[in-house]
Amino acid sequence: MTDAKLLLCDCLKSQSINAEQIEKLTGLTCSKVHTALCRAEAADAESALQSGDVLIACQQERTTFEELAADLGVNDPLFVDIRDRAGWRADEASPTPKMAALIADAILPAPADKVVDVTSEGTCLVFGEAEIALSAARSLCGTLSVTVLIDPEDEIPVGDDRRFDVVRGRVKSATGALGGFNVSFDELQERVPGGRGPLNWTDPRSGARSACDIIVDLRREPPLFPAAEKREGYLRADPGNKEAYANALLEASQLIGTFEKPIYVKLNEDLCAHSRAQKPGCSRCLDLCPTGAIKPAGDHITIDPMVCAGCGTCSAVCPSGAVSYDAPAPQHIFKRIETLAATWRKAVNEPPRLLVHDANHGAELIRLSARYGKGLPADVLPMEVSALAAFGHAEALAALACGFSSVTVLLSPQTEKDGLPFQAELATAISGNRQIKLIEPVDPDQLEAELYIEQVEAPALSPILPLGSRRQVTRLAAKALNEADAVIELPTGAPYGAVSMNADACTLCLSCVSLCPSGALKENPDQPQLKFQEDACLQCGICTTICPESALSLVPQLNLSDTALRPIVLKEEQPFECIECGKPFGVRSTVERMIEKLAGKHSMFKEGGAARLIQMCDDCRVNAAYHSENNPFAAGEHPRVRTTDDYIRRDH
């Protein structure tokens, strides 16, 4: 959108805007600096909207401008906030470099969202204490098709409202999400229609299953699902909290129709290192997924897009790139980081700081700080992301290598935090102990206390261009941030490293090679040799699990030298030569060990020249066995083939 026109407004002269310098730094055509674009000068906004693509430097009045665009019948403009994030601040440094960087970030083409349609026909299961659940059903039955589940031990109030179904029983388990829940029950009893007096019920039965689109859980018990607040279509409220109860019923009443469910992550099963041949390997994403959307599926994992809530943790921890966040993809985040840093460098020599935040908690703290406090320091560039947990070590390292002096991630109460501390620790180790922080301020004062501190001078470097996969960007950034050919020690669990071998224990059986999911361990088809390419190693641990001699162990590290990019020989031996044809086969030490243990000792190798079979290649061994006295392939003389003449003679 480089041909768009940028509409500027100083918001009643409350900020200083240098339109000429912004135009120079961003390449955009800038309007004059308005004072009340949303009110007194709205005619200028109307004219600009009618003329073509527009970027409006105001977020506060976004709704006003979108309504204006709708009235005019033109496309909605883009928006960028340069007031709360740059213009309103306490320090005296020029806000123009930051404004330009934020504008350059805003005009980057955003990838289209990937979605799938989810249909809810309004079938709703409500359960909880009898009176509360029945009251909820009476409120919802006008909109939804409601079934109320009442515990068998609860007393049912007198009444027989036929606008909804009533059953008795207990929920045993539930799976699925909005539009596709599957629920199993214990002691399920259905209401028998007809009859006078108390309700009649069918005999209780367990194992019954049913499907519904929405679940309203009004129990005072643990939820049915992990991270229940992230499970779409599952509404849970404490009935003692009137506001939460009312909100749950209101939301349930609106969950009917067809909805767009974002597809947050992309899975490449071929790259997954979860397991091989039932030997466990990487389980990082499984261990951290808060909703249970990720499940084992043989040698790889599977992700239920209906259950996935898009926290992004799996993408940050995946060592191979089999799982990658796709809303947007990491490559778009890398491009944004590079754009922010490059635009800043056009105007300022000193490096900026990066503040990563979400669209809710973090953005609100920034707005409150700008309006009532100091605002953000002039050198702090805020970058709003859709999933904080997806901002892992690769993204932090890319920011440092692009020229940021530090990276601060502003966590929110909704952020999945389990994986982030290790990502920060890993990035700190790879970056040479540069400043990477996770902060959790609850108010603007705490945010300002974290940001208005004396800065540690960052070493000068040549900024990188962060292209490629997350592993490739990590290596590229690490080389820019460290000495050439450095070998960096990493914490246990890092997805980079080498394998250490006990050469005396290894028999070169090569079982590790056959199961290595990334091809880091390799064989030489021409001789007994085990090779290892460190750059490809995922530290999944399958090789250490499968090795029958326990000869391998993992060494978490990042080797920046070129030796990590090519295979090195871990162990090699001379092959054994066949005593019949002289062809090399097997490993000499292994064959000699077999001869020592079996020849003349094992029942199969005591008589004659049976022990010689051990010293033969496959072809010669088969040939020797075929011509031996006790040939296992020998059989009687083949019967004569019967012909038509034989059958004719038999009939006559």
Side-chain angles (χ1 to χ4, degrees), residues 109 255 320 644:
L255 293 179
S320 65
T644 302

Side-chain angles (χ1 to χ4, degrees), residues 127 198 331 578 582:
F127 52 91
Q331 289 71 26
C578 175

Side-chain angles (χ1 to χ4, degrees), residues 96-404:
T96 304
K98 184 200 286 194
M99 288 180 175
L102 296 177
I103 292 166
D105 177 35
I107 63 176
L108 285 176
D113 294 334
K114 299 175 179 63
V115 297
V116 61
D117 286 345
V118 175
T119 300
S120 168
E121 297 179 352
T123 56
C124 178
L125 176 66
V126 179
F127 52 91
E129 296 178 10
E131 290 189 5
I132 295 170
L134 290 169
S135 175
R138 286 190 286 271
S139 299
L140 293 172
C141 65
T143 306
L144 306 176
S145 176
V146 180
T147 298
V148 179
L149 176 70
I150 297 176
D151 191 281
E153 297 181 0
D154 280 3
E155 182 178 347
I156 300 179
V158 175
D160 190 12
D161 195 332
R162 294 289 172 165
R163 293 178 300 166
F164 52 85
D165 293 330
V166 179
V167 296
R168 299 173 69 177
R170 296 184 178 90
V171 174
K172 180 180 180 182
S173 64
T175 59
L178 175 65
F181 285 107
N182 288 289
V183 188
S184 63
F185 304 90
D186 282 335
E187 303 178 55
L188 183 67
Q189 295 175 275
E190 297 180 80
R191 181 172 57 180
V192 177
R196 184 184 182 195
L199 297 176
N200 295 316
W201 303 92
T202 61
D203 293 334
R205 59 192 181 97
S206 296
R209 300 186 63 85
S210 184
C212 62
D213 298 317
I214 308 158
I215 295 178
V216 178
D217 184 352
L218 301 176
R219 303 171 302 160
R220 291 181 173 89
E221 297 178 14
L224 293 177
F225 304 100
E229 69 283 356
K230 298 179 182 294
R231 185 69 58 120
E232 294 183 358
Y234 177 68
L235 307 173
R236 182 170 178 267
D238 182 348
N241 185 332
K242 293 183 180 180
E243 182 179 358
Y245 173 81
N247 289 338
L249 298 191
L250 176 61
E251 185 175 351
S253 67
Q254 297 173 339
L255 293 179
I256 184 168
T258 300
F259 305 90
E260 288 186 343
K261 172 72 167 67
I263 303 298
Y264 294 109
V265 296
K266 182 169 59 176
L267 172 64
N268 185 339
E269 296 176 353
D270 295 336
L271 298 179
C272 184
H274 171 58
S275 70
R276 291 294 185 273
Q278 299 183 341
K279 297 297 181 181
C282 175
S283 62
R284 293 172 173 89
C285 62
L286 285 163
D287 296 338
L288 291 172
C289 179
T291 63
I294 304 177
K295 302 290 185 184
D299 286 348
H300 54 81
I301 53 97
T302 183
I303 301 176
D304 186 343
M306 298 298 103
V307 176
C308 174
C311 71
T313 301
C314 53
S315 174
V317 302
C318 182
S320 65
V323 181
S324 59
Y325 199 74
D326 205 29
Q331 289 71 26
H332 182 66
I333 299 297
F334 293 144
K335 180 62 177 177
R336 291 184 61 196
I337 291 170
E338 192 272 332
T339 298
L340 285 168
T343 307
W344 172 274
R345 284 197 306 272
K346 292 179 182 178
V348 184
N349 292 326
E350 291 75 20
R353 294 179 281 163
L354 182 66
L355 176 65
V356 185
H357 65 91
D358 67 351
N360 298 314
H361 178 75
E364 181 64 13
L365 285 184
I366 292 171
R367 285 192 290 268
L368 291 173
S369 174
R371 180 170 289 275
Y372 301 107
K374 297 180 180 179
L376 297 181
D379 67 334
V380 172
L381 303 189
M383 185 174 79
E384 182 182 302
V385 297
S386 56
L388 285 175
F391 195 91
H393 68 276
E395 289 76 13
L397 290 167
L400 295 173
C402 281
F404 286 95

Side-chain angles (χ1 to χ4, degrees), residues 540-594:
C540 65
I542 293 178
C543 60
T544 63
T545 303
I546 193 62
C547 180
E549 311 299 338
S550 300
L552 297 174
S553 59
L554 302 179
V555 182
Q557 64 180 34
L558 185 59
N559 184 354
L560 301 181
S561 69
D562 291 342
T563 58
L565 304 178
R566 55 179 179 265
I568 61 171
V569 176
L570 292 182
K571 183 174 180 177
E572 62 181 337
E573 288 194 26
Q574 293 299 315
F576 190 89
E577 295 181 354
C578 175
I579 60 174
E580 288 290 331
C581 68
K583 182 175 71 175
F585 78 97
V587 181
R588 177 178 293 277
S589 63
T590 301
V591 175
E592 290 175 348
R593 191 179 301 115
M594 291 173 61

